[in-house]
Structure formats: structure tokens, C-alpha cells
């Protein structure tokens, strides 16, 4: 299943996500003025490991991408939201490929509100209304 209209199906959603994530991590690291060595050291990993993450190597684990994103204080939406689309067998809109922080927040708020609404409905007593006297 492709996440964009031009991505080949053979690549799969994980390759797409890792490639995009690697680029975002590299951009964020450079924006912060960090070297690969500094970021790798902050994460307790080697520079070679970070190069693999930033290059989008499909063999790198997703949790490595998440660790980098957390360290750089960037949204994880670029990882999680495309995977949500893929799990629903929906194409990921290319227009959403940028910073997904606000979209991610909206998703979390919507899910939380939905869960609260369901809990409220489950806990709200359903009182029986008295039947009208048959006349």
C-alpha cells in the first residue's frame, strides 16, 4: 500500500516513513546547530547509527527514529500519522508531509474527547420515565 500517489507499493509504508523521518531528523539536528556526534552522544549511540537513521535506512528500527525525534523535540506525527493512514488502507496525502505537530495534537484531542464522551455515556444513568396513565 503506498502512502502517496507516486510511491511504489513495493517500498511499503515503513520505508516511506523512515525516509521522511530521517530527513526531518537531519534537518532538525542542523537547525539546532548540533553535529551528528553531539546528537549521537546525547542519545548514547554511535555516529554510524545516527547516519543510518538520517539516511532513512529501512533496517533501522522505528523506535530509533522516535528517540531522535524526542531528543530534538520534534513532532512524532511524521512517523505515526502516515502509519495510521496505511493501517486504514488509505493513501497519505502529500500535503500533510510537512510539520504535523498541530495535526498530531488535533488527533490526540479528538481521540481523548471521543473516549471521554463514551465514558460519560456509559456512566450516565438512564432514568426511566413514568408511563403516562392509560386513560
Amino acid at each position: 500500500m503506498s502512502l502517496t500517489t507516486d510511491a511504489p507499493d513495493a517500498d511499503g509504508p515503513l520505508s516511506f516513513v523512515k525516509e521522511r523521518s530521517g530527513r526531518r531528523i537531519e534537518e532538525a539536528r542542523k537547525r539546532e546547530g548540533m553535529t551528528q556526534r553531539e546528537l549521537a552522544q546525547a542519545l548514547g549511540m554511535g555516529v554510524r547509527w545516527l547516519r543510518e537513521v538520517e539516511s532513512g535506512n529501512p533496517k533501522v528500527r522505528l523506535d530509533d527514529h522516535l528517540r531522535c525525534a524526542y531528543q530534538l523535540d520534534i513532532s512524532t506525527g511524521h512517523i505515526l500519522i502516515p502509519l495510521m493512514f496505511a493501517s486504514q488502507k488509505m493513501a497519505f496525502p502529500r500535503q500533510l508531509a510537512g510539520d504535523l505537530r498541530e495535526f498530531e495534537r488535533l488527533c490526540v484531542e479528538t481521540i481523548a474527547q471521543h473516549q471521554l464522551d463514551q465514558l460519560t455515556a456509559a456512566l450516565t444513568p438512564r432514568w426511566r420515565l413514568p408511563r403516562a396513565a392509560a386513560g
Side-chain angles (χ1 to χ4, degrees):
M1 208 265 359
S2 76
L3 294 177
T4 63
T5 55
D6 55 358
D9 285 346
D11 287 347
L14 290 177
S15 294
F16 171 85
V17 167
K18 289 175 182 180
E19 177 195 337
R20 296 276 173 127
S21 177
R23 276 191 259 147
R24 288 193 41 84
I25 289 166
E26 181 180 19
E27 290 168 4
R29 175 185 58 78
K30 288 179 178 179
R31 195 171 41 251
E32 293 293 320
M34 294 180 82
T35 65
Q36 285 181 327
R37 182 176 305 279
E38 291 168 332
L39 179 56
Q41 187 174 19
L43 291 165
M45 301 304 273
V47 175
R48 182 175 176 194
W49 166 84
L50 182 57
R51 283 190 194 119
E52 295 294 322
V53 171
E54 288 185 354
S55 72
N57 183 331
K59 293 183 180 180
V60 173
R61 299 180 325 207
L62 277 180
D63 61 323
D64 293 334
H65 286 264
L66 293 169
R67 289 177 62 200
C68 290
Y70 293 144
Q71 182 69 35
L72 293 166
D73 193 31
I74 60 176
S75 167
T76 56
H78 68 280
I79 298 169
L80 304 174
I81 293 172
L83 292 177
M84 288 171 41
F85 273 81
S87 72
Q88 296 299 312
K89 306 217 181 318
M90 297 170 65
F92 181 72
R94 285 183 285 166
Q95 297 85 344
L96 295 179
D99 184 6
L100 297 175
R101 186 175 299 271
E102 289 302 314
F103 187 68
E104 181 181 21
R105 177 175 281 298
L106 179 61
C107 288
V108 170
E109 289 173 355
T110 300
I111 292 166
Q113 188 61 54
H114 178 74
Q115 292 299 320
L116 287 173
D117 291 346
Q118 284 186 330
L119 181 61
T120 300
L123 296 175
T124 301
R126 290 180 177 80
W127 304 105
R128 292 187 185 187
L129 296 175
R131 292 186 181 198

